[in-house]
Amino acid sequence: MQHSMISLNLAAVSLRDLALVQAVHRHGSFNSAARAMHISPSGLSHQVQKVEQALGAPLFERGGRRVVPTAGGRHLLQRIDAVLEAAEHLQQAARAGAVAFGGELRLGVPASLGPYLLPHLIAPFPQHFPGARLSLSEGKPKGLLRRLHEGELDAVLAPPSPTPSGIVVRPLFFEPWEVMLRADHPLSGRRTVAPEQLDSGDATLMSESHAEGLPGEGAEHGHVQDVSLESLAALVVLRGGYALVPALAHDRLASIPDVVLSRLKGQMQGREIDLYWREAMPWRRDLSAFGDLLVTLAGRLTGLRKLPG
């Protein structure tokens, strides 16, 4: 319906006027409705007549001991109830704007990070953002960042990546790689392994973070696999060799039979995780606070290194 189709008389009717009409219908009496709505009976009668004149039809039969709707009034009163219900829903939606993220944060997380970071985030999130819901989507970083740009997600956790204009990037933490070996590998008994002890040709790598193979000489020889970390462990068990895996997955991967994990010696190798969001979003302060929460969590988790914001 176009606004131009609403008569000037009806445009002058307020939601309060409609609520007064609804009260008369509910109580069946002008006096009872007036007491409930804190208005004089004469004032209430005047406002009801105003609505009837604006609609061009009587709503109630007057003169009896109980006020009852007219035949046409019953239909109009149902419409008035629907208008007031819609106004209540509008008010509730407006109140949700006072809640962090407007009530819901749609967060995208890489599949190689989500299962290992999110258990540490689930409990503190509602404590820091009361009334807000955390909705999660897992996927590949490039796909998640595309969905962020298109408005399907509100924020994304991902390694550094080229982004279009209008996207804010907040560095969070650095997560080192660990070496995952088959239990019978010659290096499997060592707590730490130096990179030079590893043959790049024996590597089975995550496509998410090693699409170009290992850095340096021999980088082209790694077997890049687009699989989950659990499937990566199964490939190491089947093929032998090793894989570089994120430190947060240590406990889960170490529980898999025939797999052992060691730390990398020397210059730390791993991945940076950043928080991305759209610059135009109205929840910038909430997203900044969410980044602070993630940095705080990173400081409590073994092996992670917080990055300056």
Side-chain angles (χ1 to χ4, degrees), residues 256-275:
I256 297 175
D258 301 320
V259 162
V260 295
L261 292 158
S262 301
R263 286 188 232 167
L264 276 175
K265 277 185 188 176
Q267 185 177 4
M268 188 174 287
Q269 298 184 43
R271 64 179 176 179
E272 177 182 325
I273 296 296
D274 299 336
L275 177 64

Side-chain angles (χ1 to χ4, degrees), residues 95-219:
R95 289 194 191 113
V99 178
F101 313 110
E104 180 180 17
L105 174 61
R106 301 171 298 171
L107 179 66
V109 188
S112 63
L113 176 66
Y116 316 105
L117 175 66
L118 294 176
H120 304 282
L121 178 62
I122 297 301
F125 182 85
Q127 298 169 8
H128 285 76
F129 306 104
R133 182 176 63 181
L134 183 62
S135 298
L136 302 168
S137 294
E138 286 190 350
K140 300 176 184 178
K142 286 185 179 180
L144 294 172
L145 290 170
R146 175 187 54 77
R147 293 176 63 193
L148 172 69
H149 182 63
E150 294 176 355
E152 295 179 14
L153 296 172
D154 301 317
V156 165
L157 298 177
S161 175
T163 56
S165 61
I167 299 295
V168 178
V169 184
R170 161 85 183 272
L172 297 176
F173 57 83
F174 180 85
E175 182 181 19
W177 301 130
E178 292 188 350
V179 185
M180 181 169 61
L181 304 158
R182 195 164 69 180
D184 61 358
H185 193 282
L187 298 174
S188 66
R190 307 190 180 194
R191 292 184 61 187
T192 58
V193 174
E196 56 268 22
Q197 294 176 287
L198 299 169
D199 181 351
S200 61
D202 291 336
T204 301
L205 306 171
M206 292 191 305
S207 64
E208 178 183 301
S209 300
H210 296 93
E212 304 302 325
L214 290 172
E217 187 176 353

Side-chain angles (χ1 to χ4, degrees), residues 246-299:
L248 277 179
H250 177 96
D251 291 344
R252 173 67 187 96
L253 296 177
S255 68
I256 297 175
D258 301 320
V259 162
V260 295
L261 292 158
S262 301
R263 286 188 232 167
L264 276 175
K265 277 185 188 176
Q267 185 177 4
M268 188 174 287
Q269 298 184 43
R271 64 179 176 179
E272 177 182 325
I273 296 296
D274 299 336
L275 177 64
Y276 299 79
W277 70 83
R278 292 184 303 283
E279 187 176 13
M281 292 187 66
W283 322 116
R284 292 184 293 273
R285 183 175 298 179
D286 297 332
L287 287 160
S288 181
F290 181 61
D292 292 341
L293 172 59
L294 291 169
V295 170
T296 300
L297 288 176

